[in-house]
Amino acid sequence: MNHTKPIAMTGGGSAGHVIPALPVADLLLAKGYRVHFIGTRSGLEQGYLGRRELIFHGISAGKLRRYFSLQNVTDVFRIGWAVIESVVLLLRIRPSVLFSKGGFVSLPPVFAAWLLRIPVVAHESDLTPGLANRLSLPFIQTLCTSFADTRFAGFSGRRVLTGTPVRRGLLDGDASAGRRVLGIEDNGSQKILLVTGGSLGAENLNRIIRDNLEALTERFFVVHVCGVGKTEDMQCEGYLQLDFVDEGWGDLLAAADMVISRAGANALFEWVALAKPNVLVPLPLAGSRGDQIANAQYAQEHGWSEVLDEQDLTPLALLQALDRLELHGAAYREVMASLDSASAADRLVDEIQHLIGDQFS
C-alpha cells in the first residue's frame, strides 16, 4: 500500500541519535510510506542510512552546548539559518508527521514543523532528557520515552512509554552462527563473555579486561570489542580482540551469555531486548552530562543490570559482579524479557500513525 503523504524524520549529531531511528524507518517503509530523513551536511547521518529507500536532506547545524563558548554565538546564526532551510524543505515535502530522535540537528526541523502546523512525535532514549529534546518541548505533540520515570517539566502533550528501538538484525541474531564464527562448540559448555565500550572503546575497561585475562578465560571465552585502533598485539587462548563489528554483530550478541558495556541507552536496551545479563560501567561525569550514570542506576534498581562505577572498576569488583550475574542470571533474564523491549519500534510507529489519523478524523 502506497501512502500519498510522506513522513519526515530527523535526528543526528551522533550515532546514538540515528541508529534507533532506523528500525522505525524500516517499519514505515514496509508499510508503504515515503520517508524523508533530515540530517546534517556532514554526511554522518546519511552514512548510517545505508541502502534504505530514504530520501536524505542535509541542513546547516549549530551545536547546542551546555558550557560557555564563543562558538555558541556563531552557532546561533547557523541554527537560525537551519530553521529557514527546514521551513523551505518541509513546505516542499509536505509531510503528515515529523518524527524527531533528538540531537542538535533536530531542533530547527521541529521548530519549523511547529510553524507549519505539522505534528511532531519525539523520542527520548535516556532517563535524563537531552538538551535538544528539552528545547523542543513546546513544539511537540507526542513525547515517547524509553524509561517510565523520565520527566519533562511543563510538558502537557501526549506521553507514551515505548522503550528504545532495536535493529531487526540484532533481534534476529543466530547464536549457533555466532558460536561457529568463534570456533566454539554449540553445546553451551563454553560460556561467552562479550565486552564492549562502544564505538570509541573504553580505555580503563580495556585495561581491566586485559589485566585479568587469566581469571576471565578460566570461566569464559572473552570476545573483546576494543574500539577502532585499540586492539593490542597479544595472544591468549580463549580471548578474541575486535576493533569494531558490523556484519554478524547480531549473531555474536545472540551467542553471548553475559555482557560488560557502557551504559548508553541504546546499548542498554539492546541487552534488555535480548535478555542478556549485563554489567554496566557508565561513563563518568568528567566525560558526560551524567546520562549514563542515571541510566545505570535505573537499570540496577529495576533488576536489569549489575553496575560498577569506573572508579570502582577493580579486578575483584568485576569478578564479583560476574559471579552475581551467574548466580542470578535466570532472574535477570526473566525481568528483562517481561518488558517486551523488542516491540519499541512498533509502538513508535503506532504513535506516528495515531497523529496521522488525528489529522483526518
Side-chain angles (χ1 to χ4, degrees), residues 112-240:
W114 177 78
L115 290 175
L116 298 172
R117 299 299 181 260
I118 297 167
V120 178
V121 177
H123 181 265
E124 174 58 56
S125 291
D126 289 307
L127 178 63
T128 56
L131 180 58
N133 272 343
R134 293 205 307 273
L135 293 175
S136 296
L137 284 181
F139 319 118
I140 292 170
Q141 277 68 46
T142 302
L143 180 62
C144 301
T145 63
S146 296
F147 296 89
D149 291 353
T150 299
R151 294 289 178 265
F152 284 84
F155 180 69
S156 57
R158 177 177 169 87
R159 188 183 153 196
V160 183
L161 176 64
T162 60
T164 288
V166 175
R167 290 165 284 171
R168 190 79 249 170
L170 302 189
L171 298 175
D172 294 338
D174 184 336
S176 296
R179 286 180 171 270
R180 283 196 299 272
V181 167
L182 298 174
I184 298 174
E185 289 189 22
D186 194 18
N187 58 15
S189 60
Q190 175 71 75
K191 300 296 183 184
I192 297 172
L193 174 65
L194 177 68
V195 184
T196 175
S199 59
L200 299 178
E203 295 287 356
N204 197 29
L205 181 58
N206 288 349
R207 178 182 56 78
I208 289 287
I209 295 300
R210 289 172 178 140
D211 288 349
N212 291 275
L213 278 180
E214 184 176 350
L216 290 171
T217 53
E218 284 180 2
R219 298 165 55 182
F220 305 100
F221 186 99
V222 180
V223 180
H224 187 184
V225 184
C226 311
V228 176
K230 295 181 180 177
T231 58
E232 291 189 358
D233 185 14
M234 56 186 299
Q235 299 293 325
C236 179
E237 187 175 353
Y239 176 62
L240 174 65

Side-chain angles (χ1 to χ4, degrees), residues 12-319:
S14 70
H17 291 110
V18 181
I19 299 299
L22 299 182
V24 178
D26 290 338
L27 280 177
L28 291 170
L29 290 169
K31 289 176 177 289
Y33 289 98
R34 204 155 25 98
V35 183
H36 296 252
F37 196 100
I38 303 170
T40 64
R41 290 198 178 95
S42 70
L44 181 146
E45 294 85 10
Q46 189 172 15
Y48 285 113
L49 303 184
R51 297 182 179 179
R52 291 173 175 84
E53 294 182 2
L54 296 172
I55 305 164
F56 181 79
H57 307 272
I59 61 171
S60 300
K63 189 170 183 179
L64 302 168
R65 299 175 180 86
R66 299 172 187 82
Y67 53 88
F68 175 77
S69 169
L70 290 177
Q71 287 181 289
N72 289 339
V73 178
T74 57
D75 279 356
V76 167
F77 293 99
R78 289 194 184 96
I79 292 169
W81 179 245
V83 170
I84 295 171
E85 287 184 302
S86 298
V87 168
V88 172
L89 181 58
L90 292 176
L91 280 171
R92 191 168 81 242
I93 297 172
R94 300 186 65 82
S96 51
V97 172
L98 174 70
F99 172 69
S100 172
K101 190 57 200 73
F104 59 81
V105 71
S106 68
L107 182 57
V110 167
F111 181 61
W114 177 78
L115 290 175
L116 298 172
R117 299 299 181 260
I118 297 167
V120 178
V121 177
H123 181 265
E124 174 58 56
S125 291
D126 289 307
L127 178 63
T128 56
L131 180 58
N133 272 343
R134 293 205 307 273
L135 293 175
S136 296
L137 284 181
F139 319 118
I140 292 170
Q141 277 68 46
T142 302
L143 180 62
C144 301
T145 63
S146 296
F147 296 89
D149 291 353
T150 299
R151 294 289 178 265
F152 284 84
F155 180 69
S156 57
R158 177 177 169 87
R159 188 183 153 196
V160 183
L161 176 64
T162 60
T164 288
V166 175
R167 290 165 284 171
R168 190 79 249 170
L170 302 189
L171 298 175
D172 294 338
D174 184 336
S176 296
R179 286 180 171 270
R180 283 196 299 272
V181 167
L182 298 174
I184 298 174
E185 289 189 22
D186 194 18
N187 58 15
S189 60
Q190 175 71 75
K191 300 296 183 184
I192 297 172
L193 174 65
L194 177 68
V195 184
T196 175
S199 59
L200 299 178
E203 295 287 356
N204 197 29
L205 181 58
N206 288 349
R207 178 182 56 78
I208 289 287
I209 295 300
R210 289 172 178 140
D211 288 349
N212 291 275
L213 278 180
E214 184 176 350
L216 290 171
T217 53
E218 284 180 2
R219 298 165 55 182
F220 305 100
F221 186 99
V222 180
V223 180
H224 187 184
V225 184
C226 311
V228 176
K230 295 181 180 177
T231 58
E232 291 189 358
D233 185 14
M234 56 186 299
Q235 299 293 325
C236 179
E237 187 175 353
Y239 176 62
L240 174 65
Q241 293 182 90
L242 301 166
D243 57 1
F244 175 74
V245 183
D246 185 11
E247 191 72 27
W249 180 233
D251 295 339
L252 286 180
L253 291 184
D257 295 285
M258 296 182 194
V259 177
I260 301 173
S261 83
R262 286 300 197 190
N266 295 336
L268 172 58
F269 277 90
E270 288 175 3
W271 317 144
V272 171
L274 298 170
K276 295 294 176 181
N278 60 89
V279 178
L280 300 179
V281 184
L283 196 64
L285 276 174
S288 75
R289 64 181 176 86
D291 50 305
Q292 290 202 12
I293 294 172
N295 293 345
Q297 289 175 343
Y298 185 95
Q300 186 176 45
E301 289 168 2
H302 287 77
W304 307 352
S305 311
E306 288 286 329
V307 174
L308 287 174
D309 292 332
E310 188 156 305
Q311 65 268 23
D312 300 326
L313 190 58
T314 64
L316 178 60
L318 182 59
L319 292 172

Side-chain angles (χ1 to χ4, degrees), residues 349-360:
V349 169
D350 286 346
E351 290 308 311
I352 291 169
Q353 292 186 308
H354 176 80
L355 276 186
I356 295 172
D358 281 352
Q359 294 177 76
F360 300 103

